Amino acid sequence: MALAYVYLAVGIVFEVLGTIAMKYSEGFTKVVPVILTLVCHGICFVALTVALKSLPISMVYAIWAGVGTAFMALIGLVIFNEPLPLQKVLATTLIVLGVVMLNFSDKKSEEQIAKTPSEKILKKEASAVQVDSHRNAG
């Protein structure tokens, strides 16, 4: 499970890098930043997909969005000289606090993580086969 958090961190880093490249693409008119945007976001989504194998989607998405938003606010201030008014600081703080609260409320064992629809269907089909085999045996 610890490796899933590494993949989540990789997803966040590449999402931030892809967003920075997107800013430099000037509306997708510069080829190199466009390519970097697509590659970085591609790596981001692959990493998130791997993280989702063992972490709940609500937690992964909240962390990804919240941390990415906070990083981009800081990067906007440092790299792009964007203003950082009190309202933006408070809003970003609320997002980060929301992510923290979600993580504390989502402490569940692996058995409590919902199964995917395909796993549920396979389980139902296996149960139906067992019922039929018991009927035919008697």
Side-chain angles (χ1 to χ4, degrees), residues 37-60:
T37 298
L38 297 174
V39 168
C40 288
H41 280 115
I43 293 169
C44 164
F45 288 120
V46 168
L48 289 177
T49 301
V50 175
L52 286 170
K53 285 178 153 181
S54 50
L55 295 174
I57 192 168
S58 61
M59 187 175 74
V60 167

Side-chain angles (χ1 to χ4, degrees), residues 71-83:
F71 279 154
M72 285 313 303
L74 289 174
I75 289 168
L77 174 70
V78 174
I79 295 176
F80 300 111
N81 296 317
E82 293 178 354

Side-chain angles (χ1 to χ4, degrees), residues 19-35:
T19 303
I20 293 168
M22 190 184 308
K23 174 75 172 172
Y24 283 115
S25 77
E26 296 183 13
F28 271 32
T29 60
K30 293 191 174 183
V31 176
V32 173
V34 168
I35 292 169

Side-chain angles (χ1 to χ4, degrees), residues 103-122:
N103 285 318
F104 281 123
S105 71
D106 214 15
K107 298 293 181 194
K108 296 180 180 180
S109 66
E110 285 189 28
E111 295 84 34
Q112 291 175 315
I113 295 175
K115 301 292 182 195
T116 62
S118 60
E119 290 172 328
K120 290 177 184 178
I121 292 169
L122 290 174

